[in-house]
Amino acid sequence: MKISGAKLDKQSANFVASPNTSGEFSEDLPDTIVIHYTAGSSAESSVRTLTNSKVKASAHMVIGRDGAVTQLIPFNTIAWHAGESAWGDRRGLNKYSIGIELDNAGRLTKSGEQYISWFGRSYPEQEVIKAVHRNEEKLSYWHRFSEQQITKTYEICELLIDTYDIKSILGHEEISPGRKSDPGPAFPLDKLRERLLHSDRSDQGDNEMAGVDNPAVVTASMLNIRSGPNGGTQTIAQPLKNGTVVDIKDEKEGWYRVDVKMSGWVSKNFIKKAT
Ligand SMILES: [Zn+2]
């Protein structure tokens, strides 16, 4: 897979142009990737929607359940995927980010033995994950992403990181909490970030800052971790427990931005190793 002229090569992706853009990014941007699910019935229907000028929405790419990629907007051009959104001191993430949409039905409702999407299609149990969303407290049912989609998302993010100066990979749910719940807990967002932006990259010698460089420890019994440097922003995970080791990455107005490293044992049945 290659990018030239802000487009994926023809062997790797179809290009179907969307008119829903607001021109080129400013200098040094994009520096962020935002991951979404389509909450749609197929990749084809999502491509149709996101290229329709009457629909004020678009994204740079749609990844189908078979891993096929359709690019709608060149990577140097602003797409309309984030809507009202905030991260740190930024507002309106479209002008900072590349948007990737994964074909997925989203949250499902259980009805007898079936799991039903908002548009009425039913999904069998093996396509369903039961999990608590990072912004919520109760269990919900979520449509699984296919392995091909997850693998393709890794590959594309890696390529984008190598091509542009990508510093963050975020979920729509993190920049528009309350309003949006995509990509949701069925998508391994934390693992993707950890692998592509942190530890593994250091093996390639392009990141001297491997591992924890500014270790610190949580002294409160429970410490909220938030999307921005003030108490009015959303919490983005379960509170950190006393004694949790964190890595200080930035400081602002009485707040630290920290990475949290964690190590523990998990069942192999629920882990997929990246390629
Ligand atoms: Zn979204």
Side-chain angles (χ1 to χ4, degrees), residues 51-251:
T51 53
N52 180 345
S53 62
K54 296 196 187 80
V55 179
K56 299 291 173 207
S58 62
H60 291 88
M61 279 163 289
V62 175
I63 304 182
R65 301 192 66 79
D66 58 357
V69 182
T70 306
Q71 186 173 355
L72 313 177
I73 308 260
F75 299 126
N76 59 359
T77 302
I78 296 170
W80 301 342
H81 53 97
E84 201 182 306
S85 50
W87 187 254
D89 48 13
R90 290 177 166 183
R91 296 287 173 277
L93 272 285
N94 282 340
K95 57 185 178 287
Y96 302 101
S97 64
I98 290 171
I100 304 179
E101 292 274 359
L102 307 184
D103 176 27
N104 179 287
R107 196 193 303 260
L108 305 173
T109 311
K110 193 169 188 199
S111 167
E113 292 303 295
Q114 293 296 318
Y115 298 84
I116 317 291
S117 67
W118 70 271
F119 50 87
R121 187 184 296 169
S122 77
Y123 294 84
E125 186 151 32
Q126 62 268 25
E127 279 196 49
V128 178
I129 280 180
K130 191 178 177 186
V132 181
H133 193 281
R134 70 175 78 231
N135 298 342
E136 300 171 9
E137 275 147 25
K138 288 195 186 129
L139 277 172
S140 282
Y141 305 103
W142 305 89
H143 188 201
R144 262 183 209 279
F145 294 88
S146 71
E147 288 191 14
Q148 292 96 314
Q149 277 181 308
I150 292 175
T151 306
K152 189 62 76 172
T153 307
Y154 267 87
E155 279 175 35
I156 287 180
C157 286
E158 195 160 30
L159 181 63
L160 290 171
I161 290 166
D162 286 342
T163 310
Y164 301 95
D165 194 13
I166 300 293
K167 296 184 179 74
S168 321
I169 303 174
L170 301 171
H172 203 185
E173 67 203 22
E174 297 174 298
I175 60 171
S176 306
R179 193 172 71 82
K180 291 289 176 182
S181 25
D182 58 314
F187 187 81
L189 183 59
D190 294 321
K191 214 166 85 180
L192 175 83
R193 283 195 275 249
E194 181 60 28
R195 264 195 104 84
L196 296 186
L197 296 173
H198 304 125
S199 53
D200 270 24
R201 308 285 295 171
S202 63
D203 299 342
Q204 296 160 21
D206 59 357
N207 181 1
E208 300 291 305
M209 309 286 277
V212 176
D213 34 49
N214 288 301
V217 71
V218 173
T219 57
S221 60
M222 296 285 245
L223 178 63
N224 284 322
I225 180 162
R226 298 183 178 279
S227 63
N230 75 71
T233 59
Q234 287 281 330
T235 58
I236 58 166
Q238 295 294 316
L240 305 178
K241 294 201 175 75
N242 185 279
T244 303
V245 175
V246 299
D247 187 13
I248 297 172
K249 294 295 193 186
D250 200 358
E251 183 176 4

Side-chain angles (χ1 to χ4, degrees), residues 266-271:
V266 295
S267 165
K268 276 174 78 171
N269 295 334
F270 302 102
I271 296 293

